[in-house]
Structures are given as structure tokens and as C-alpha cells.
Amino acid sequence: MYFAALLARTEDGWEASDTELDDVETLSDLADLAREASPDEDTVLVLIEQEDAWFGVVRVDGEDDPRIYVSDAAAAQRSAYGELLLTDELLGREPGADDGPDLDALDLDGTEDGESEENDEEEGGDDDAVPHSPVGDSQILDDLGIGEKELRILDAEDALSTIAEALGASEVLETVR
């Protein structure tokens, strides 16, 4: 179960709308969806939470690249919606890096069956492991009154409500919940 909402800053304050992410396939699609919510190129926040396990904030300011914060990368990776946010850049990987083994680079000389699993673990390493910690731009909401420290200590269960309250948008967010 997930909840996603758009908060668009306007001259009159924040406007909220719930949104379906079923047709969103990439981060670019998500950014375009956010931009549609604010024709004046004002700040738009996409707030996503998944079963009180993780939350994410995507900030779109006009045509600038989206800024992303995810509270728990490992939990988000297990979600189709989280995978939208967990870009290679965000995870510190080379763009286009593959999570699986490079089959072309494997030395298949027929001795694989006799090798121990310990060697496989040593060679594989955990370089591509996704951390059970926040990733992304932890200063994403600094200018809106939520500092890095406050953002990092938010509990996934009530994070979106806390963020909305700090922005003065709790009533409009609750109307779409």
C-alpha cells in the first residue's frame, strides 16, 4: 500500500493533489507529472510513502533537475515506486551499472562446479548493496523550514504529515489522504 501526493507552492500557499503512480515509469515521467501541477514553474514536492517502511520526497523547481531524498534505500528498492527514485547517481553507481553479474566477463572454463561459495562471496563483494539508510539530498527542504537533521530523524509512519505541518500544508494534504 502506498500514498503519493503532489504539493505545489502557489501565490496563495500550498495546493495538494493525490496522484496515481501506476503510469509513471521513470523519474523523468514523475518530474513531468510534478511540473504539470504548477504551470507557473513554482516548487512542487512529490511525497511518497510505502506501508510505513520508507518515504521519499522529490522536489521539482521549474525546469531544474529533480532533487530526491529517500528515507531508507533498501526498503524503497523492494518497491516499484521506490525504484523510480533510486537512480544510479543517487546510489553512487556508474550510470547504466547492472545489478547482476556481467556474463560476458565471466571465465567459464569448466571449473566453476568445483569452486567453493566462499570464493564467490569474496569476489562479488557488496559494492552494489543498497544501504538501509537515507540517500539523496538531505537538504532538499532546508529553504522550506525543514533542516537536514529534522528530515533524517523523521519516522516513515508520520513523515509526510510532519513535513506538511512544517510547510503549513497539513490541512491540504489531509484533504487528499
Side-chain angles (χ1 to χ4, degrees):
M1 188 76 176
Y2 80 97
F3 170 74
L6 299 173
L7 281 180
R9 185 165 49 177
T10 67
E11 292 176 4
D12 301 326
W14 291 94
E15 291 181 7
S17 58
D18 63 339
T19 187
E20 284 291 322
L21 299 179
D22 294 339
D23 295 331
V24 176
E25 295 180 8
T26 65
L27 181 58
S28 294
D29 293 345
L30 187 61
D32 290 343
L33 183 68
R35 287 183 185 104
E36 290 172 12
S38 178
D40 296 332
E41 296 191 4
D42 289 323
T43 298
V44 178
L45 301 176
V46 181
L47 305 174
I48 303 171
E49 71 179 3
Q50 179 96 31
E51 297 177 350
D52 299 332
W54 66 274
F55 71 92
V57 179
V58 178
R59 179 176 177 159
V60 178
D61 294 301
E63 292 300 318
D64 292 346
D65 287 340
R67 295 167 57 193
I68 305 164
Y69 176 82
V70 176
S71 67
D72 183 335
Q77 185 181 35
R78 293 187 295 269
S79 159
Y81 305 112
E83 286 181 348
L84 286 172
L85 308 181
L86 297 175
T87 63
D88 288 336
E89 181 182 356
L90 192 70
L91 296 173
R93 295 180 181 159
E94 287 294 318
D98 196 13
D99 289 349
D102 182 1
L103 297 179
D104 293 333
L106 290 178
D107 182 17
L108 301 177
D109 63 2
T111 61
E112 295 80 25
D113 292 336
E115 294 179 5
S116 71
E117 290 183 23
E118 292 173 4
N119 288 344
D120 293 342
E121 289 176 18
E122 288 174 15
E123 290 174 17
D126 275 344
D127 292 341
D128 290 337
V130 177
H132 279 282
S133 62
V135 295
D137 184 352
S138 57
Q139 298 174 344
I140 192 170
L141 301 173
D142 272 1
D143 64 325
L144 299 174
I146 301 171
E148 179 177 357
K149 250 183 169 176
E150 293 118 332
L151 187 60
R152 286 184 170 272
I153 63 170
L154 289 176
D155 183 355
E157 186 175 336
D158 59 348
L160 300 190
S161 298
T162 303
I163 291 170
E165 187 176 319
L167 299 175
S170 56
E171 287 182 25
V172 292
L173 182 64
E174 286 306 314
T175 61
V176 297
R177 223 182 238 277

